[in-house]
Amino acid sequence: MQLSLINPSSFLAQLLQFGVALAAAPLLTGWVNQWRAWLQNKTAPSLLQPYRLLHKLFNKESVAADSASPLFRATPYIVFGCMLLACGIVPALSTDLPLAPVADAIALVGLFALARVFFSLAAMDIGTAFGTLGARREMLIGFLAEPALLMALFTASLITRSTSLAAIVNQMAHSQFQLYPSLAFAGVAFTIVSLAENARVPVDNPATHLELTMVHEALILEYSGRHLALLEWAASLKLFAYSCIGLALFFPYGIARFDPDKAAVLNALAMVYSLPALAVKLAVGGFLLALIETVSAKMRIFRVPEFLAVAFVLAVIGLLVHGLLGA
């Protein structure tokens, strides 16, 4: 694709989406933490607490073990870059994105897998017992979650006949409203995968520091300073990316669509109007996530494969329902 053929508003939409992801991802984490505390009758932390944590960590010195390899030091930047790029691929504000033609659902899952591999290798690089334990659990969860995520994405792809998330949003949001039973199965499967991939209850507890139960926290025990800040920011970006994927697949309404027949100003205004719609949807989604975590109990690690197997089966049922019934 030649740069001269790309509309300038698409670059604006891409830059705006990157900026919104960087700024809003910690805010979403703070919103979920607030509601989780309120629902448990606890004193809620400030909505800006994730920003304060990042500011504190970025101003601290990074300390690494003498045995740490360059992979250990490079992993935070790689993971952060993968999560930021994933947020840029998902159409959260507009479908007119320069990355849309070259990145689809399969590439998106590949980005998550790439970040997981580097994260797990870095956790094992130091040679600590807890880092290796967390890396093995992370790879186990990823090995089971990625097929279920692909099946859920393929259900929407079969309906729209495209693996591009931008094309899926264009067809689902700007066509006649229809109810798809297959998407209902895919939606439940996607919710289960999102809980597992973002280390949320019932798969993992993001607030725990018990060595025998934690998964995500075990991966970052050896990091400090700016490296830890990047990993915490990347975790928020991952939650933001998964939230936007769910909204794009199942609630795509409010996302701006580029219309070549309209003036550039009108297309820009459509992107501006999509900001409050995204904020409302993320606020509702964050509340529902906190509610799910409040009414659920953390399961034993040996029950996680069964939990994710349910997601895979539901996603496959969604594919079969669409293939057999066309619905």
Side-chain angles (χ1 to χ4, degrees):
M1 179 179 292
Q2 298 180 1
L3 295 178
S4 59
L5 299 180
I6 301 178
N7 192 286
S9 64
S10 65
F11 287 103
L12 176 62
Q14 192 71 76
L15 292 176
L16 181 61
Q17 184 151 313
F18 279 129
V20 169
L22 288 172
L27 189 64
L28 177 61
T29 301
W31 175 256
V32 174
N33 292 340
Q34 265 198 346
W35 271 106
R36 184 179 178 183
W38 285 335
L39 292 173
Q40 296 175 359
N41 288 327
K42 297 180 180 178
T43 301
S46 170
L47 191 64
L48 303 180
Q49 184 61 34
Y51 298 102
R52 296 170 182 169
L53 176 62
L54 293 177
H55 180 267
K56 180 183 70 174
L57 292 176
F58 272 120
N59 285 279
K60 285 189 173 183
E61 181 183 0
S62 296
V63 180
D66 294 335
S67 59
S69 69
L71 173 67
F72 181 84
R73 295 178 173 86
T75 292
Y77 301 96
I78 296 175
V79 174
F80 180 83
C82 289
M83 294 302 104
L84 181 58
L85 185 57
C87 292
I89 291 176
V90 182
L93 299 174
S94 173
T95 58
D96 183 32
L97 301 175
L99 295 178
V102 295
D104 56 6
I106 300 176
L108 183 63
V109 177
L111 279 175
F112 291 136
L114 179 64
R116 176 180 294 106
V117 168
F118 274 95
F119 208 174
S120 300
L121 290 176
M124 295 186 292
D125 184 68
I126 301 299
T128 59
F130 291 129
T132 304
L133 180 66
R136 291 176 176 178
R137 291 177 175 178
E138 177 69 15
M139 293 305 295
L140 171 65
I141 293 174
F143 174 77
L144 298 171
E146 286 173 6
L149 177 60
L150 281 172
M151 293 298 103
L153 294 174
F154 286 158
T155 302
S157 300
L158 288 177
I159 294 175
T160 59
R161 300 183 182 275
S162 175
T163 58
S164 171
L165 290 177
I168 293 174
V169 171
N170 275 330
Q171 182 167 341
M172 300 291 289
H174 303 285
S175 61
Q176 186 177 2
F177 178 78
Q178 296 183 22
L179 292 176
Y180 294 96
S182 56
L183 282 183
F185 289 102
V188 177
F190 179 81
T191 301
I192 295 175
V193 171
S194 298
L195 294 174
E197 286 281 65
N198 288 282
R200 314 300 300 195
V201 178
V203 176
D204 189 19
N205 188 349
T208 187
H209 291 282
L210 298 176
E211 291 84 354
L212 296 179
T213 61
M214 60 186 178
V215 179
H216 174 73
E217 293 296 324
L219 298 173
I220 61 176
L221 279 177
E222 299 298 324
Y223 282 104
S224 60
R226 66 179 183 277
H227 292 156
L228 181 58
L230 287 173
L231 291 176
E232 293 288 355
W233 203 351
S236 297
L237 285 171
K238 188 175 184 179
L239 178 61
F240 182 87
Y242 266 89
S243 300
C244 291
I245 293 172
L247 296 177
L249 293 179
F250 310 108
F251 302 99
Y253 309 102
I255 300 177
R257 179 185 183 185
F258 175 74
D259 190 350
D261 297 330
K262 292 184 179 180
V265 176
L266 296 179
N267 287 321
L269 285 176
M271 285 188 294
V272 174
Y273 293 151
S274 65
L275 280 170
L278 176 63
V280 171
K281 290 188 289 186
L282 288 177
V284 174
F287 166 74
L288 293 177
L289 174 59
L291 181 62
I292 292 175
E293 290 193 292
T294 302
V295 300
S296 303
K298 186 183 179 303
M299 62 179 63
R300 297 172 61 238
I301 188 65
F302 298 108
R303 299 296 301 273
V304 173
E306 301 175 8
F307 185 66
L308 291 174
V310 172
F312 180 78
V313 171
L314 288 175
V316 172
I317 291 176
L319 284 174
L320 294 176
V321 169
H322 177 75
L324 297 176
L325 304 179

